[in-house]
């Protein structure tokens, strides 16, 4: 999709630090990491947000979570990690291409917000 930052990163038009890629998923380090490990896990199909997930595209969500398990292992997050999705304006989403934040490398607090 034109003018989508993450579509451009997936296409290699904007550089990123890739940590994982397969047929369905592209994953790269967040430019502004909130934790020692902060990876963005992104479906290769442009889906705007969690609110747009449906039976036609949910395979991408499943593949993202398969990738998350592999990346967490590769990054040494054996003691656990957190996965976050921000959806829409109230959810704090700033890039309108579905993505999951994989956060770890530190003991995170028990508060969700
Ligand atoms: P959101 O707020 O939409 O859930 O998350 C968007 C994330 O994308 C933010 O954590 C932000 O730091 C990250 N981000 C924004 N622009 C870029 C970029 O050009 N490259 C990378 N690697 N991350 C970006
Ligand atoms: Zn996109």
């Amino acid at each position: 999709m034109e003018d989508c930052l993450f579509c451009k990163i997936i296409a290699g038009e904007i550089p990123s630090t890739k940590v994982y890629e397969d047929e369905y998923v592209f994953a790269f380090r967040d430019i502004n990491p909130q934790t020692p490990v902060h990876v963005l896990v992104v479906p290769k199909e442009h889906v705007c947000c969690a609110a747009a997930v449906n039976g036609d595209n949910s395979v991408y969500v499943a593949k993202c979570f398969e990738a998350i398990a592999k990346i967490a292992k590769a990054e040494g997050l054996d003691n656990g990690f957190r996965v976050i999705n921000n959806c829409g304006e109230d959810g704090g989403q700033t890039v309108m291409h579905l993505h999951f934040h994989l956060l770890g490398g530190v003991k995170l607090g028990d508060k969700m917000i």
Side-chain angles (χ1 to χ4, degrees):
M1 170 168 283
E2 280 177 34
D3 288 333
C4 170
L5 175 65
F6 287 174
C7 281
K8 287 180 180 164
I9 286 177
I10 292 164
E13 293 164 15
I14 292 174
S16 69
T17 306
K18 181 171 85 172
V19 298
Y20 177 84
E21 182 175 14
D22 65 29
E23 188 186 343
Y24 295 89
V25 178
F26 194 87
F28 53 98
R29 298 201 189 278
D30 197 293
I31 204 167
N32 183 25
Q34 303 299 306
T35 47
V37 175
H38 186 171
V39 174
L40 299 174
V41 182
V42 175
K44 283 190 171 175
E45 178 164 296
H46 181 89
V47 177
C48 71
C49 55
V53 173
N54 58 39
D56 293 333
N57 59 32
S58 60
V59 63
Y60 284 89
V61 177
K63 293 292 181 183
C64 281
F65 275 84
E66 287 184 36
I68 284 166
K70 289 180 194 165
I71 297 162
K73 195 164 193 183
E75 296 285 328
L77 304 180
D78 303 325
N79 210 37
F81 53 85
R82 183 168 293 168
V83 177
I84 292 178
N85 169 258
N86 298 324
C87 180
E89 196 178 339
D90 281 3
Q93 185 176 6
T94 58
V95 179
M96 291 305 292
H97 181 131
L98 179 65
H99 55 280
F100 300 97
H101 297 256
L102 170 59
L103 300 163
V106 68
K107 177 138 181 66
L108 292 160
D110 56 6
K111 297 253 189 305
M112 205 118 53
I113 55 171

